Amino acid sequence: MMDLKTLSLDNVEILLKFIPQPPEVKAYKEYEKQKKPIDKLTEEDKLMMALSKIERLKQKLTMMAYIGNFIDTYHNLTPQLKALIAASHSIKNSSKLKRLLEIILAFGNYMNSSKRGAAYGFKLQSLDVLLETKSTDGQLTLLHYITEVVSQKFTDISEFATDLMYAEKAAKANIENIGADISELVKGMEMCKREYSNRKDNLVLRDFLGNNEDKLKKLESDFKNAKDAYNEVVGYYGENPKMMPPSTFFSFFVRFQKAFTKAKNDNAQRKKLQEVEATAIAKKNPGVGNKHKKQNAMITELRRKQNMEKKEQVADGTIENILTDLKNEPYRRADAIRRSLRRRQEEELRLSTTTDEVKM
């Protein structure tokens, strides 16, 4: 027995459902003991009687089913573990994603500055709120504005989606189910090893163990790495891995990335429509087009002068200044002194002290 070429896997799994129970085995033995005619039994009873005579039938069929399903189970679990590891590492180490979240935090603190104190961070579910905060006409969301700012001022991080390429696959993985499946594989492998230790002549078991024992060890190692990587990234973002499964954690980033891409496309489409409308108006009324150009030129010049006037001032009260600072160093709370400002103050203090000593 144990040859899946002779007895297919489908038939093995069917037979597992019809293994004769102890009372049935006893009844068939009694029937034979009384030398009753076998040909009077139904075909089903004849089969059951034949099965009842096979020693350790359930154990053998279980091993055959395990051997037949091992490779499929292995190939099903491996990509899930790889996705978990890759997604966890990329999301934790993505400099583009970190910078983008810093920008979102800066916007949140700026918008809430009059209501409450500045925050050091925010929960991941707050990313969904970016779509709920809309303009007065309901046409644009806060994410549309953030996307536009990022595209204009932080072009290097606007393509952060490449760092989230494994997140969607990882969101479909269930660590508990994967762990349970691997535990069953380990139990089945131990059963096969025990059987082979008693039957060294079994070529099926010998070949199976030789080809797949190392695969299972690799699977166990990948599972440990996946759990460690996931726990680390979830903790890094201030969440509890025991309370937040991958389906929830990675879905935050998947939804955000898709919403960001959609907002970016919406902005591009809206600009094209505005350009088409402006061109059509200019063709109908050439004077209006020239007037708009002059107005835009005046606005640009006023902004330039305004920026020159504020250049020497310490600025932390407007979103433009916050975004400018973000290009130089990571975001900090508005009530925290930046390193550059602190160094400037220390230098001024030293100069002042030196001047006073010279005067004395």
Side-chain angles (χ1 to χ4, degrees), residues 137-338:
D137 60 2
Q139 297 299 311
L140 300 176
T141 65
L142 176 58
L143 186 58
H144 282 98
Y145 182 65
I146 292 176
T147 304
E148 185 65 18
V149 170
V150 169
S151 298
Q152 292 179 359
K153 298 179 180 291
F154 302 91
T155 54
D156 58 319
I157 66 173
S158 60
E159 301 300 328
F160 72 98
T162 54
D163 294 339
L164 303 181
M165 60 186 299
Y166 297 104
E168 193 160 6
K169 289 183 180 179
K172 298 175 182 178
N174 186 309
I175 290 181
E176 291 185 1
N177 289 347
I178 292 174
D181 288 342
I182 292 178
S183 294
E184 289 299 315
L185 289 180
V186 171
K187 290 178 183 177
M189 189 65 72
E190 291 299 321
M191 178 177 60
C192 290
K193 288 164 70 175
R194 286 194 302 270
E195 181 71 14
Y196 181 64
S197 66
N198 296 324
R199 295 180 59 188
K200 295 290 185 179
D201 60 332
N202 192 312
L203 299 181
V204 174
L205 285 174
R206 185 197 67 183
D207 293 343
F208 172 76
L209 293 172
N211 294 329
N212 298 297
E213 202 168 355
D214 287 341
K215 287 186 176 70
L216 181 56
K217 290 179 180 178
K218 179 65 166 59
L219 204 61
E220 289 182 277
S221 176
D222 287 346
F223 179 58
K224 182 182 182 304
N225 292 336
K227 282 200 303 182
D228 291 344
Y230 178 70
N231 291 342
E232 189 175 347
V233 70
V234 174
Y236 181 80
Y237 280 93
E239 304 290 350
N240 185 349
K242 293 182 179 179
M243 303 297 293
M244 183 171 287
S247 58
T248 301
F249 178 78
F250 290 114
S251 291
F252 283 129
F253 295 98
V254 172
R255 288 196 301 271
F256 173 67
Q257 183 267 317
K258 289 182 177 180
F260 187 95
T261 301
K262 183 179 183 302
K264 188 176 179 180
N265 293 336
D266 290 346
N267 289 340
Q269 187 175 4
R270 188 171 62 257
K271 281 184 179 180
K272 287 182 180 179
L273 291 174
Q274 290 173 348
E275 290 173 0
V276 171
E277 291 175 358
T279 302
I281 293 173
K283 286 182 179 180
K284 290 183 179 180
N285 304 292
V288 174
N290 293 330
K291 184 178 179 181
H292 285 164
K293 288 181 181 179
K294 290 180 180 179
Q295 287 177 344
N296 290 333
M298 288 177 64
I299 291 172
T300 302
E301 180 63 18
L302 286 171
R303 285 179 176 172
R304 186 183 69 80
K305 289 182 178 180
Q306 188 178 26
N307 289 334
M308 289 179 65
E309 291 174 358
K310 291 184 177 182
K311 190 174 181 180
E312 299 300 324
Q313 299 177 3
V314 177
D316 64 351
T318 66
I319 192 62
E320 288 294 329
N321 291 324
I322 292 175
L323 293 174
T324 300
D325 287 344
L326 274 171
K327 290 185 176 181
N328 301 321
E329 59 181 292
Y331 178 75
R332 286 176 175 76
R333 286 168 43 131
D335 57 355
I337 300 177
R338 292 183 178 277

Side-chain angles (χ1 to χ4, degrees), residues 29-80:
K29 285 183 177 179
E30 187 65 27
Y31 188 88
E32 269 194 310
K33 187 177 180 180
Q34 295 176 5
K35 297 183 180 181
K36 293 183 178 180
I38 304 297
D39 56 352
K40 288 189 176 181
L41 292 173
T42 63
E43 293 299 322
E44 290 81 2
D45 280 327
K46 289 178 182 177
L47 174 62
M48 294 295 281
M49 178 177 282
L51 292 175
S52 68
K53 294 178 181 180
I54 301 174
E55 294 183 2
R56 299 184 303 116
L57 175 63
K58 183 177 181 180
Q59 184 177 353
K60 292 176 180 178
L61 288 175
T62 300
M63 277 189 287
M64 291 179 70
Y66 172 80
I67 292 171
N69 287 311
F70 181 88
I71 291 299
D72 285 343
T73 305
Y74 173 81
H75 286 309
N76 178 49
L77 295 177
T78 298
Q80 294 183 62

